[in-house]
């Protein structure tokens, strides 16, 4: 699910540009080249969005069946290419997959670009990433929580209390502002947690 979720965000940005952060059904907001131009975030993104528009435009809307095919084709292509790199690393008996994939030593923009564009499987291998942290910290110094618990209203308060106790902070009382847990972030349009705008956390 992490793999598909990671690719889905990249795919939506490619098609929707800035609309990705203002509506969950951003592809329904793409109704013309003018909308694409107004929401462009980069030249390459505009080119990709225009290509999808030319291929999937049906009476001024992006056709869902065409979009589904676009998603599956692009995801499959990315995963096949990355798995081939993983197989090459396995054949080399690489001790460190990240080093074999070439992510170490990159400056932040290049690292971000590689992780966002080409390493969807690697990003989803949580045990691989945790193993590096466990070389530095003892297991009882690491808290792992599924992101779903930060998005479901019924779990969020208990999860934040777990965070507080883990850090040695108060989990109740005058210093705890529960209302911030349920406050929508600036990027949200429906009153719920939004992946790309959690600046409200700093308000505490």
């Amino acid at each position: 699910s992490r793999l598909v979720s990671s690719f889905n965000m990249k795919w939506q940005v490619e098609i929707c540009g800035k609309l990705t952060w203002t509506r969950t059904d951003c592809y329904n907001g793409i109704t013309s080249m003018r909308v694409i131009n107004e929401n462009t975030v980069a030249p390459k993104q505009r080119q990709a969005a225009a290509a999808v528009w030319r291929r999937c435009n049906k009476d001024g809307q992006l056709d869902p069946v065409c979009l589904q095919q676009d998603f599956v084709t692009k995801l499959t292509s990315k995963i096949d290419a990355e798995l081939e790199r993983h197989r090459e690393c396995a054949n080399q008996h690489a001790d460190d997959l990240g080093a074999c994939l070439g992510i170490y030593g990159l400056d932040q923009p290049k690292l971000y670009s590689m992780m966002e564009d080409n390493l969807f499987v690697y990003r989803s291998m949580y045990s691989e990433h945790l193993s590096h942290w466990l070389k530095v910290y003892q297991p009882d110094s690491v808290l792992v929580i599924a992101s779903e618990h930060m998005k479901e209203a019924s779990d969020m308060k208990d999860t934040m209390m777990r965070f507080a106790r883990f850090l040695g902070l108060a989990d109740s009382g005058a210093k705890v502002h529960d209302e911030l847990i349920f406050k929508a972030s600036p990027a949200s349009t429906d009153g719920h947690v939004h992946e790309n705008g959690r600046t409200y956390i700093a308000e505490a």
Side-chain angles (χ1 to χ4, degrees):
S1 61
R2 170 60 177 167
L3 185 157
V4 175
S5 175
S6 298
F7 178 79
N8 182 59
M9 178 56 63
K10 169 185 165 55
W11 180 75
Q12 285 194 55
V13 172
E14 183 178 279
I15 293 173
C16 303
K18 297 174 186 176
L19 279 181
T20 305
W21 295 285
T22 58
R23 54 185 297 176
T24 56
D25 63 338
C26 66
Y27 37 83
N28 287 329
I30 302 298
T31 56
S32 66
M33 277 301 303
R34 179 182 62 80
V35 175
I36 290 174
N37 291 333
E38 289 174 350
N39 289 278
T40 293
V41 295
K44 287 180 66 176
Q45 178 270 322
R46 181 191 177 281
Q47 293 171 10
V52 172
W53 175 254
R54 289 192 295 270
R55 188 166 59 253
C56 297
N57 172 26
K58 186 175 182 180
D59 300 326
Q61 289 284 334
L62 291 173
D63 178 56
V65 174
C66 182
L67 284 177
Q68 182 182 43
Q69 293 172 343
D70 185 75
F71 181 92
V72 172
T73 298
K74 289 176 178 176
L75 174 61
T76 302
S77 176
K78 286 287 187 181
I79 297 310
D80 286 348
E82 184 182 350
L83 288 178
E84 180 58 33
R85 296 179 64 191
H86 283 239
R87 283 190 286 270
E88 292 172 359
C89 290
N91 291 336
Q92 296 170 20
H93 304 289
D95 293 329
D96 190 314
L97 181 57
C100 183
L101 293 173
I103 67 170
Y104 298 155
L106 296 176
D107 60 29
Q108 193 64 34
K110 289 182 179 179
L111 174 62
Y112 181 83
S113 177
M114 179 178 283
M115 294 289 280
E116 288 289 308
D117 294 340
N118 299 296
L119 297 180
F120 301 102
V121 176
Y122 180 71
R123 288 170 60 186
S124 306
M125 298 170 63
Y126 294 138
S127 61
E128 173 77 14
H129 306 302
L130 282 172
S131 68
H132 294 291
W133 289 109
L134 293 174
K135 292 177 182 177
V136 182
Y137 299 101
Q138 293 297 313
D140 60 1
S141 297
V142 178
L143 179 64
V144 178
I145 294 178
S147 60
E148 289 80 4
H149 295 302
M150 295 298 297
K151 297 179 181 180
E152 294 295 331
S154 59
D155 292 339
M156 288 167 64
K157 184 174 180 180
D158 287 342
T159 302
M160 294 302 290
M161 292 174 70
R162 283 186 64 192
F163 275 129
R165 290 192 294 269
F166 181 75
L167 295 172
L169 302 174
D171 63 3
S172 61
K175 294 184 178 181
V176 177
H177 301 281
D178 291 333
E179 68 277 7
L180 291 177
I181 299 175
F182 301 102
K183 180 181 177 183
S185 56
S188 175
T189 59
D190 60 4
H192 293 88
V193 172
H194 191 285
E195 185 172 356
N196 294 287
R198 294 180 180 155
T199 57
Y200 66 89
I201 292 176
E203 295 180 22

